[in-house]
Amino acid sequence: MCKIIGIDISKQTFDVGFNDGSNWHHLVLDNNEKGFKRLLKELSNNDWIVMEASGPYYLKLATFLYGKGYNVCVLNPLIIKRYSQTRLIRAKTDKKDAQTIAEYGAQYRLKQWKPEPTNISKIKQLYTVLELLNKEVHQSERQLEALTATGVMDKDLKSILQGIVSYLTCKRNKVEKQIEEIAQSVYKSTLDRLKSIPGIGTKTAIMLTVITGNFENFETHKQLIAYVGFSPRIYQSGTSVKGKGHICKMGKSQIRKLMYLCSWSAKRCNKDCVDMYERLLEKGKPERVIKIALANKLLKQAFSIAKNKTYYDENFNKKTCF
């Protein structure tokens, strides 16, 4: 009999919930190799282990189980949250969460999880460090500017802050270089194709390649747009409720920011984006709405070019629709 094992995981422990056909069982195990091996005693070869992507805490267990040949499914926590709300579940405990995850897994089709390639994982970690360094550089520069503006800033203190800014900037540049070197060594052909699109630079090309698993994780451009968070959200019901539309921001903020910035240059140098910009401007659309539409256009172009293994051609839309 195939069991659905629900796991609610945290930094130190993880709760296990499953139904053996007649009764619910609950275990609390340590989030380490000893706890992982204890879990194996409850599993059969065809069981499914379902868990949430809870920060970094799920990764070691998911990788361990995948390496042992088990069926592992990792879900977005929002999926379980919405499922719990539809069931009107009021209890919020680790035990109940594990059971809820198992119940979800028993009702819906599950997708097999597999670890990311080492290079993708390393670049993502470097991006996390880069984002932190960017914040620290920005904060240090603002602090230096604010204290300098007082006109009474101590010279030694100014020297210290300038040294901090210089040090952090140096580290940031080193991380950026490391990201580019890894990406170029593994995904050079994809990056060259993406950079052929007017408006998309090296940083955006690398980020797109990383988040899409070299464009292998998505089957359609609509899936990519939804993942990034540029899908429109319509607020309308009947004839009386007609709210203002927004984009659905349940996506990746880093790439969303990059694509939005790319749209600024694309409206001047990318033929399809130039035509779209002028057309929407004539219709009276706000600048921000137009740039989101241009970002969507760039994502469609990137997806098509990467999937077809070709290069940008401004007449390409005569042959294939972006």
Side-chain angles (χ1 to χ4, degrees):
M1 175 184 172
C2 172
K3 298 194 302 294
I4 305 297
I5 314 293
I7 292 181
D8 183 70
I9 199 161
S10 62
K11 183 178 181 180
Q12 300 294 338
T13 62
F14 61 94
D15 286 67
V16 181
F18 63 91
N19 193 320
D20 62 4
S22 56
N23 297 302
W24 277 99
H25 297 265
H26 174 243
L27 298 171
V28 180
L29 304 174
D30 292 331
N31 191 6
N32 54 36
E33 191 167 347
K34 182 179 178 181
F36 301 165
K37 290 180 178 179
R38 170 65 182 85
L39 175 62
L40 293 181
K41 297 179 181 180
E42 304 294 334
L43 303 179
S44 301
N45 291 334
N46 59 343
D47 288 345
W48 273 91
I49 301 94
V50 188
M51 64 186 77
E52 295 176 317
S54 303
Y57 304 132
Y58 77 95
L59 193 54
K60 287 177 66 176
L61 175 58
T63 303
F64 174 85
L65 293 171
Y66 179 85
K68 295 293 184 180
Y70 289 99
N71 300 312
V72 180
C73 177
V74 178
L75 300 171
N76 186 321
L78 185 61
I79 293 174
I80 299 300
K81 181 179 180 180
R82 294 289 184 259
Y83 174 75
S84 179
Q85 289 173 341
T86 61
R87 297 285 308 281
L88 301 179
I89 296 175
R90 291 177 292 176
K92 185 68 176 73
T93 64
D94 295 338
K95 178 180 179 180
K96 185 60 179 177
D97 287 347
Q99 181 178 331
T100 301
I101 293 171
E103 289 175 344
Y104 174 90
Q107 295 182 38
Y108 293 90
R109 184 178 179 181
L110 301 175
K111 183 179 179 180
Q112 175 76 38
W113 175 90
K114 63 179 181 179
E116 292 179 325
T118 303
N119 289 312
I120 292 286
S121 179
K122 186 173 183 179
I123 292 175
K124 283 187 175 182
Q125 291 177 2
L126 286 169
Y127 265 121
T128 301
V129 174
L130 180 61
E131 190 172 19
L132 176 62
L133 288 171
N134 280 328
K135 289 180 180 178
E136 291 182 343
V137 168
H138 182 63
Q139 289 172 351
S140 299
E141 287 176 338
R142 289 186 63 185
Q143 188 67 68
L144 177 61
E145 181 182 350
L147 292 176
T148 302
T150 64
V152 293
M153 185 180 184
D154 181 77
K155 290 183 178 180
D156 291 336
L157 179 57
K158 184 176 182 179
S159 177
I160 290 172
L161 281 174
Q162 288 174 335
I164 291 173
V165 172
S166 178
Y167 174 79
L168 292 173
T169 302
C170 179
K171 290 297 182 182
R172 180 182 63 183
N173 294 339
K174 185 177 180 180
V175 171
E176 287 179 338
K177 183 179 179 181
Q178 193 173 357
I179 289 173
E180 187 170 347
E181 286 176 350
I182 296 173
Q184 287 287 355
S185 67
V186 184
Y187 306 113
K188 186 179 186 305
S189 59
T190 301
L191 297 180
D192 289 343
R193 293 186 182 100
L194 293 179
K195 288 190 293 182
S196 72
I197 303 172
I200 291 184
T202 301
K203 290 182 180 179
T204 305
I206 293 174
M207 180 73 84
L208 280 172
T209 304
V210 169
I211 68 168
T212 60
N214 199 23
F215 290 86
E216 294 178 0
N217 296 342
F218 301 96
E219 297 178 359
T220 67
H221 69 266
K222 290 183 179 180
Q223 292 175 343
L224 174 58
I225 290 172
Y227 181 79
V228 171
F230 274 137
S231 295
R233 172 178 283 172
I234 301 172
Y235 185 65
Q236 181 175 335
S237 179
T239 58
S240 59
V241 180
K242 294 183 179 180
K244 186 178 180 180
H246 301 276
I247 60 171
C248 180
K249 295 185 179 179
M250 294 185 294
K252 301 297 179 182
S253 60
Q254 288 177 315
I255 186 62
R256 193 160 57 236
K257 291 174 184 176
L258 283 176
M259 294 307 303
Y260 188 75
L261 290 173
C262 287
S263 68
W264 289 54
S265 57
K267 73 175 185 179
R268 296 188 299 270
C269 60
N270 187 305
K271 185 178 182 301
D272 293 294
C273 291
V274 170
D275 293 343
M276 174 178 277
Y277 180 81
E278 292 175 351
R279 185 170 66 253
L280 295 178
L281 196 63
E282 288 179 1
K283 292 182 178 180
K285 298 293 183 180
E287 189 79 7
R288 181 174 177 275
V289 171
I290 297 176
K291 286 175 180 174
I292 290 173
L294 297 183
N296 274 337
K297 171 66 77 174
L298 288 173
L299 283 173
K300 292 178 184 178
Q301 291 179 346
F303 185 87
S304 178
I305 283 172
K307 284 290 190 181
N308 292 312
K309 299 187 186 309
T310 184
Y311 289 84
Y312 177 82
D313 179 357
E314 67 177 24
N315 296 316
F316 189 69
N317 61 342
K318 295 179 180 179
K319 309 168 188 175
T320 304
C321 179
F322 276 129

